[in-house]
Amino acid sequence: MLHTDEWWRDAVIYQVYPRSFADSDGDGMGDLPGITGRLPQLKELGVDAVWLSPFYPSPQHDAGYDVADYRGVDPRFGDLGDADKLIAEAHNLGLKIIVDLVPNHTSSEHAWFRAALAAAPGSPERERYIFRDGEQPPNSWTSVFGGDAWERTPDGQWYLHLFDVSQPDLNWGNPEVREEFLDVLRFWLDRGVDGFRVDVAHGLIKEENLADWTTTSTILGGVDPAGPPPPMWDQEGVHEIYQSWRSLLDQYEGGRILVAEAWVAPAARLARYVRPDEMHQAFNFPYLDAPWKPAELRTVIDESLEANNAVGATTTWVLSNHDVVRHASRLGFPVGSPRVPGIGAEDPQPDAALGLRRARAATLLMLGLPGSAYLYQGEELGLPEHTTMPDEFREDPAWERSGHKERGRDGCRVPLPWEADAPSYGFGPADASWLPQPASWAEFALDRQQGVAGSTWELYRSALGLRREHGLGHGSVRWADAGFAFRNGGVLVVTNFGAEPVELPAGARVLLSSEPLDGDGRVPTDVTVWAVV
Ligand code: NOJ
């Protein structure tokens, strides 16, 4: 690691989705003790830190991104004592813990929103949210999940919800809201967390006049890099909020961090979130969205590195998370296909073998880049999306709100397979899992992969070890003259996107390869190799 307190600059951070990671009590829903019990396996994999998606009390209308109490733990997941144990055990193992902070909206069951509905229009209680009068919705904005972004209350006012109707947007113009979140940050910092992933970080401030806007925003999308920022996203006012949070975090020891989930383009605009007095990291979604094409990938890599270098930040690479089709399935569609918002049994199906082959190559390429990287639980097993889930199981609000046009995100949220021959594949002690696990998942189970040469889990473990050993996280990218190849310090990273095998330079010693080389020692199609020359 480069600087002890700047651990995040080159860290590999593993996203745990608590509902679906490990279930300790057999109710079919993952929980905090389940996570704590599996932390040694994450240590063995070789990650530096763990980001936990929300585990706070919540009616779970958006899988916990509808928070009813920012200072507690939902009984489904455990209690505050379990959170303390999880943090302590992670620290014992030398792992950092990042928690999710959801500041754009609360749940409609949060005490503040209940009080707002009970109070009169114009009251201080309503001033914490975005209420407006009128016969018609105050403007043309639509919800990211589909339908109108405004809901009418029985007394005739409207409130804004950029997501589900159960997720009212907070009014960040109100100092009380700002104070409250500083206090929430303190609450978790005092409990020892190492950072916060900030949900919808580009959305907190809305343009003052709430000007009309007819472009539909989608998860991780919605900002045209060539146009002006939409009135609900990436407004200048968000930055002073993060500056105030940074000042608070800097008062704590140990390098506490903020990572932005901000759907902002182009790269130079996103880099404004990671200026020295703001956040530490911002997910690189243009990278996640780039097609499996060398020119496009090279452009997005160069632009990201340049924009982040200009503000003294490293780049935060990511290929999968709980909001997108898993990359092992995404890359199984024809090259250049647009990213789909979920896949159902009647939809075109990806080529699973091709998808996994490319996913392994894509991961090795990503981990060969300097900066930080996020992994999403299950990708180290090569897990595909559940692409044939019967619709009756779907819980993502996008499925209903889109009028069943978008299958939504349940397919990437299916509980993990740990043991091939156990009930629920070892997700929990019972044969219960809140979303159905496909029958084919035994072959992906951890116990079928650990110690098995060439398995995806062993590929990830080797890659994380070599990445650390060769200091790739704090290196740089120097492109080779031909093909898709770059040097990062002493390591040559080569990905073959073409139809013909690619020769390695004479004398190259292969450190790791996403698939075996061909009989002549050449790099086959859709394979990444790390080598020293
Ligand atoms: C982004 C989160 O990642 C997603 O899961 C959630 O639905 C929205 N923000 C709303 O909080």
Side-chain angles (χ1 to χ4, degrees):
M1 231 171 275
L2 197 53
H3 317 273
T4 29
D5 261 4
E6 299 202 333
W7 61 272
W8 43 269
R9 283 187 164 268
D10 59 357
V12 175
I13 302 178
Y14 182 99
Q15 179 187 357
V16 164
Y17 194 66
R19 296 175 141 247
S20 304
F21 188 70
D23 171 19
S24 72
D25 57 12
D27 66 355
M29 177 73 69
D31 46 44
L32 298 188
I35 299 168
T36 307
R38 294 281 186 189
L39 287 175
Q41 267 137 344
L42 297 184
K43 181 68 185 174
E44 201 184 335
L45 182 64
V47 301
D48 301 297
V50 172
W51 150 37
L52 301 167
S53 277
F55 50 74
Y56 314 109
S58 161
Q60 305 283 326
H61 293 310
D62 185 20
Y65 282 93
D66 47 330
V67 180
D69 173 5
Y70 291 87
R71 297 177 183 80
V73 172
D74 193 293
R76 292 173 183 86
F77 300 129
D79 57 24
L80 272 177
D82 294 322
D84 291 340
K85 280 188 209 139
L86 192 162
I87 295 166
E89 175 61 7
H91 288 167
N92 278 340
L93 291 166
L95 295 168
K96 309 267 187 191
I97 290 287
I98 294 174
V99 295
D100 219 303
L101 187 76
V102 187
N104 180 67
H105 43 265
T106 69
S107 160
S108 52
E109 292 187 19
H110 189 283
W112 273 10
F113 195 71
R114 288 169 179 255
L117 287 187
S123 58
E125 287 84 356
R126 290 210 174 177
E127 268 309 296
R128 295 166 176 154
Y129 293 90
I130 303 177
F131 280 89
R132 291 289 183 276
D133 292 320
E135 277 313 305
Q136 297 299 317
N139 66 24
S140 60
W141 296 3
T142 52
S143 153
V144 173
F145 294 151
D148 285 345
W150 295 94
E151 180 72 7
R152 201 151 204 201
T153 59
D155 57 28
Q157 276 208 311
W158 301 85
Y159 70 85
L160 178 69
H161 60 91
L162 289 177
F163 293 89
D164 190 53
V165 63
S166 64
Q167 293 168 299
D169 281 56
L170 284 161
N171 171 16
W172 276 86
N174 182 341
E176 201 188 346
V177 173
R178 295 186 184 225
E179 275 311 310
E180 169 67 2
F181 274 86
L182 283 169
D183 204 56
V184 170
L185 289 172
R186 276 186 217 105
F187 179 86
W188 289 104
L189 289 166
D190 291 342
R191 296 196 103 85
V193 305
D194 301 287
F196 302 88
R197 175 267 191 188
V198 181
D199 190 63
V200 198
H202 59 314
L204 274 49
I205 298 292
K206 280 75 181 175
E207 188 264 335
E208 213 176 337
N209 303 316
L210 302 180
D212 274 339
W213 185 261
T214 46
T215 310
T216 306
S217 299
T218 53
I219 281 278
L220 310 193
V223 180
D224 172 5
M232 68 291 274
W233 306 131
D234 196 27
Q235 299 291 304
E236 192 55 34
V238 297
H239 295 287
E240 67 179 23
I241 298 171
Y242 303 133
Q243 286 157 2
S244 75
W245 294 6
R246 178 64 179 260
S247 305
L248 173 66
L249 263 63
D250 283 350
Q251 292 165 25
Y252 285 79
E253 285 186 342
R256 316 289 178 108
I257 71 161
L258 297 165
V259 51
E261 188 233 11
W263 325 333
V264 170
R269 192 98 201 149
L270 181 61
R272 301 175 81 240
Y273 287 73
V274 288
R275 288 176 290 189
D277 60 346
E278 289 193 35
M279 301 216 188
H280 303 77
Q281 302 181 322
F283 294 111
N284 188 342
F285 294 131
Y287 181 73
L288 182 155
D289 251 344
W292 186 241
K293 291 185 184 171
E296 274 87 341
L297 277 164
R298 184 170 167 160
T299 302
V300 80
I301 290 169
D302 284 344
E303 286 177 359
S304 309
L305 291 172
E306 189 188 332
N308 287 311
N309 282 342
V311 295
T314 51
T315 299
T316 303
W317 312 101
V318 60
L319 285 168
S320 279
N321 64 29
H322 65 293
D323 288 330
V324 296
V325 170
R326 285 180 174 277
H327 67 286
S329 296
R330 221 166 59 225
L331 294 171
F333 287 113
V335 172
S337 306
R339 180 161 56 81
V340 289
I343 303 170
E346 304 90 68
D347 296 327
Q349 297 289 307
D351 176 334
L354 179 66
L356 180 55
R357 181 182 177 87
R358 287 184 175 153
R360 290 164 55 112
T363 297
L364 215 50
L365 162 55
M366 174 177 84
L367 293 176
L369 292 166
S372 169
Y374 278 72
L375 308 177
Y376 176 49
Q377 65 175 43
E379 66 169 87
E380 77 282 14
L381 303 174
L383 271 196
E385 188 85 356
H386 189 337
T387 59
T388 55
M389 185 186 295
D391 290 337
E392 73 254 28
F393 291 105
R394 298 193 184 281
E395 291 200 12
D396 183 352
W399 169 238
E400 288 302 330
R401 287 196 63 89
S402 69
H404 295 179
K405 285 203 197 73
E406 292 186 8
R407 286 249 146 50
R409 301 163 291 173
D410 295 300
C412 66
R413 299 175 173 181
V414 175
L416 293 190
W418 295 92
E419 293 160 47
D421 300 318
S424 67
Y425 301 122
F427 167 59
D431 195 13
S433 99
W434 70 279
L435 286 173
Q437 298 166 297
S440 60
W441 276 24
E443 65 178 282
F444 294 100
L446 179 66
D447 69 349
R448 289 270 172 96
Q449 301 201 36
Q450 264 178 328
V452 176
S455 72
T456 304
W457 192 85
E458 290 293 347
L459 177 72
Y460 271 67
R461 194 176 65 87
S462 300
L464 295 178
L466 289 165
R467 187 177 190 274
R468 182 172 287 129
E469 189 183 316
H470 290 269
L472 300 182
H474 52 262
S476 60
V477 167
R478 278 172 298 127
W479 292 101
D481 295 336
F484 188 96
F486 61 85
R487 275 173 203 276
N488 180 352
V491 176
L492 177 70
V493 178
V494 180
T495 303
N496 183 2
F497 294 89
E500 299 302 322
V502 166
E503 300 272 356
L504 289 170
R509 181 169 62 85
V510 173
L511 295 173
L512 191 61
S513 175
S514 64
E515 301 288 342
L517 301 189
D518 74 7
D520 298 322
R522 298 174 303 177
V523 183
T525 303
D526 293 327
V527 169
T528 296
V529 168
W530 291 0
V532 282
V533 188

